[in-house]
Amino acid sequence: MSKQALDQAYAAAVERYKSLGIDVEKALAELDKLSISIHCWQADDVAGFEVAEGDLTGGIAATGNYPGAARNPEELRADLEKALSLLPGKHRVNVHAFYGDFGGQFVDRDQIEPKHFQTWIDWAKKVGVSLDFNCTLFSHPKSENGTLSALDPETRAFWIEHVKLCRWIAEEMGKAQGNLCIHNIWAPDGSKDLTVDAYIYRKNMKESLDKIMEDKRDPKYMRDCYESKLFGIGLESYTVGSNEFVLGYCLKNNMMVTLDAGHFHPTEGIADKISSVALFSNEIMLHVSRPVRWDSDHVVIQNDDLQSLAHEIVRADLLDRVHVGLDYFDASINRLGAYVIGVRATQKAFLKAFLEPVEQLRQLEANGQFFERLACLEEQKSLPWGVVYDYWCAQKGVPVAADYIAEIQQYEKEVTSKR
Ligand code: RNT
Ligand code: ZN
C-alpha cells in the first residue's frame, strides 16, 4: 500500500472510530506503552548454551526440525535484534539461566553468577531493551527426580542454591538497566503415574521456596513470579506446582503469579482468571502461548483466547499490574518469523482492546440490553483496526503488514540458512 493510500485509509478509520466515541491516537499512545517480554528460547528450541548440552527435559517439547537455530549467545542476540527491528514498540527480552555466556567452560547451575550474563546486560544496553530472567530447573541430570520438591535433600539444596543465584543475577540485571527485572520460577516437578505422597512433595516445595526467599532482594530491581502448571509430557498424573499450590503460595507470600495460557485444562482460558487474581494479588505475569490440544506452545496468533485476555486486562484497567510475556517454541518454521508473528498478534489484540467502545458496552450491560451488547461485540470485529495497526507500523519505521516476510526471507538466506 502506498503511503498516500495508507494515510487516507487511516484518516477514514479515525473518523469511523470517532463516530463511536473512540480516540484512535489515544489508543495508539496506549499501544506505545505496551512492552512485551520476548522469550529468548524460541530462537534455539529451548536448548540453552551450556557446555554439557543435554536433551530438553521437564515435560516440555519443541517439535520440528527447521534449519537455522541459534547456536550461541551471539547468534541468538543477532536473531533477536533482527526480530526487534521488524517490530514496532519497545520491548523486553526474557533470558533463561542456561543461556549464560559460559565461555566454553562447564559452569554448573549452582555456580552461575552475574558475570556469566554480562554480555547479555551489555547487549541489552546497546540495543535499548531491558531484561527479565528465569531460573532453569530442567534439562539437567539433577532434575530427573524433581528439583525443589525432591525427596533427596542434596538435590533440593542444589536447586535452592541455583534459584538463589538466579535471583541475585536478576537483581544485578535490574540495577544495570535501572528498572525491574522479573524473575520467573517454574519447576517441572511431578510424576508420570499415580503419586502416593502428593503432600510431601508439595511440603518440600514450599519449604524450599521459603528458604530461597530468605534472601532479600531489592523489589525495585527484581521481583519473583511463580508459574503453575497442569501437567507435562511424562508427568501426566501429578504436578507439584499445581494452580492451587502456586496461587496459595503467591497470595500468602505476596508474590506475583504467572499465568501461562497453556497450563490449564484445554477448555479453560486464562482470560477469566485475570480479574480474580488481580483482586488478591498486586501483580500478574503472563506467559502468552497457544496450546493446541495440549500445552504445545504453538506460535501465538490472534485467536479468541488472546483477544479475551487483552480485553480483560484493558477493560479492568490493569495494564500497570499485568506484565505481558511470551512463551512458545516452534521448531518447525522460521524461528524469527515465529517471534514477529507472536509479538504482532499480541499487539493487535491489545490494540483492538484499546479501540473498544467500552463505555457503550458497559451501559448496554447495565441496562440488561444483552442482544445489543452481543451485537456491538460482533460489530467491533470488523472495525478498521487493521489499518490503524499498519499506520502505527509505518509511523514507527518498521515493515507494514506482510512486508516483514521478505525481510525474514532475506535474513534466512544470508544468515540462518548458513548455520
Ligand atoms: C513450561 C513453562 C515455562 C517454560 C520456560 C522455558 O511449561 O511454560 O515457562 O516454557 O521456562
Ligand atoms: Zn510458561
Side-chain angles (χ1 to χ4, degrees):
M1 200 194 268
S2 72
K3 185 177 179 305
Q4 198 195 3
L6 182 57
D7 286 350
Q8 273 172 4
Y10 176 71
V14 168
E15 282 309 307
R16 180 80 196 276
Y17 279 109
K18 206 166 154 194
S19 71
L20 296 167
I22 306 226
D23 182 342
V24 170
E25 274 185 28
K26 214 170 127 209
L28 287 180
E30 288 294 315
L31 195 55
D32 272 337
K33 287 192 278 176
L34 181 72
S35 178
I36 298 173
S37 189
I38 301 174
H39 56 311
C40 77
W41 50 93
Q42 160 63 50
D44 78 328
D45 316 331
V46 211
F49 300 133
E50 285 172 323
V51 172
E53 240 179 60
D55 289 339
L56 175 59
T57 69
I60 53 180
T63 54
N65 219 348
Y66 200 82
R71 295 165 299 181
N72 53 52
E74 290 74 31
E75 287 182 354
L76 198 154
R77 289 192 283 255
D79 291 356
L80 282 168
E81 251 179 272
K82 182 69 197 175
L84 286 165
S85 77
L86 303 174
L87 292 166
K90 216 168 150 28
H91 303 292
R92 307 176 62 86
V93 168
N94 197 4
V95 179
H96 235 290
F98 69 160
Y99 284 84
D101 217 332
F102 303 115
Q105 304 292 311
F106 172 69
V107 182
D108 211 349
R109 305 265 173 98
D110 63 342
Q111 303 290 327
I112 58 169
E113 291 182 33
K115 68 175 184 203
H116 300 117
F117 296 87
Q118 195 56 48
T119 55
W120 278 104
I121 293 171
D122 294 343
W123 172 79
K125 192 168 237 162
K126 189 188 91 193
V127 300
V129 295
S130 291
L131 302 174
D132 291 314
F133 199 57
N134 302 256
C135 49
T136 310
L137 302 169
F138 52 88
S139 300
H140 188 281
K142 285 198 170 76
S143 66
E144 262 149 43
N145 292 309
T147 62
L148 298 170
S149 77
L151 293 180
D152 171 32
E154 275 177 34
T155 304
R156 288 205 301 279
F158 175 87
W159 291 110
I160 288 170
E161 183 60 17
H162 172 67
V163 184
K164 283 185 168 198
L165 292 170
C166 287
R167 298 182 71 241
W168 173 35
I169 295 164
E171 187 183 49
E172 292 301 314
M173 285 178 167
K175 283 182 185 163
Q177 66 203 20
N179 64 42
L180 175 67
C181 171
I182 298 182
H183 173 247
N184 187 56
I185 303 173
W186 168 68
D189 302 33
S191 172
K192 180 183 175 80
D193 222 324
L194 304 179
T195 300
V196 176
D197 244 340
Y199 184 84
I200 293 297
Y201 298 107
R202 291 196 170 121
K203 186 163 173 286
N204 285 347
M205 180 67 87
K206 177 184 174 296
E207 286 171 5
S208 293
L209 289 167
D210 288 348
K211 277 195 191 131
I212 290 165
M213 297 305 154
E214 276 168 12
D215 283 359
K216 295 299 165 215
R217 298 277 162 205
D218 188 343
K220 191 167 168 226
Y221 296 119
M222 83 78 62
R223 293 201 281 277
D224 301 278
C225 51
Y226 184 23
E227 181 175 6
S228 70
K229 193 162 176 174
L230 181 65
F231 79 98
I233 302 171
L235 302 161
E236 289 85 358
S237 300
Y238 170 70
T239 293
V240 180
S242 62
N243 182 42
E244 292 72 16
F245 180 88
V246 169
L247 198 56
Y249 192 88
C250 288
L251 295 184
K252 185 153 184 191
N253 295 286
N254 198 17
M255 199 187 279
M256 208 185 311
V257 180
T258 302
L259 295 175
D260 183 308
H263 289 194
F264 296 88
H265 285 280
T267 59
E268 195 180 356
I270 57 169
D272 188 50
K273 301 183 189 301
I274 300 293
S275 50
S276 301
V277 177
L279 280 164
F280 302 102
S281 169
N282 191 33
E283 286 173 294
I284 300 174
M285 179 76 215
L286 295 181
H287 275 189
V288 180
S289 191
R290 178 164 58 106
V292 177
R293 302 196 188 279
W294 62 287
D295 179 31
S296 57
D297 292 289
H298 277 60
V299 179
V300 165
I301 55 169
Q302 293 182 74
N303 59 11
D304 287 351
D305 289 338
L306 178 62
Q307 194 55 62
S308 309
L309 186 60
H311 272 141
E312 284 298 321
I313 296 165
V314 174
R315 287 173 188 161
D317 197 14
L318 290 171
L319 262 172
D320 54 344
R321 293 204 278 134
V322 178
H323 305 274
V324 182
L326 304 180
D327 182 13
Y328 53 80
F329 23 97
D330 188 336
S332 73
I333 60 171
N334 182 298
R335 292 169 184 79
L336 231 99
Y339 276 129
V340 178
I341 291 173
V343 174
R344 286 187 175 225
T346 307
Q347 290 179 321
K348 287 173 187 169
F350 275 92
L351 174 61
K352 285 161 91 175
F354 294 137
L355 290 169
E356 182 175 70
V358 70
E359 284 318 318
Q360 183 199 356
L361 288 162
R362 275 199 182 111
Q363 200 52 55
L364 293 171
E365 186 162 288
N367 295 345
Q369 292 175 278
F370 299 138
F371 145 66
E372 291 83 349
R373 178 184 63 182
L374 189 60
C376 287
L377 285 170
E378 275 303 285
E379 284 308 311
Q380 264 194 63
K381 293 178 180 168
S382 49
L383 288 176
W385 56 269
V387 81
V388 175
Y389 186 80
D390 290 348
Y391 177 85
W392 188 59
C393 286
Q395 215 183 27
K396 300 285 166 196
V398 299
V400 172
D403 288 356
Y404 68 83
I405 296 174
E407 293 232 20
I408 289 173
Q409 286 170 336
Q410 183 73 11
Y411 187 79
E412 171 166 284
K413 203 166 142 224
E414 286 167 8
V415 184
T416 51
S417 66
K418 296 190 177 142
R419 286 179 187 160

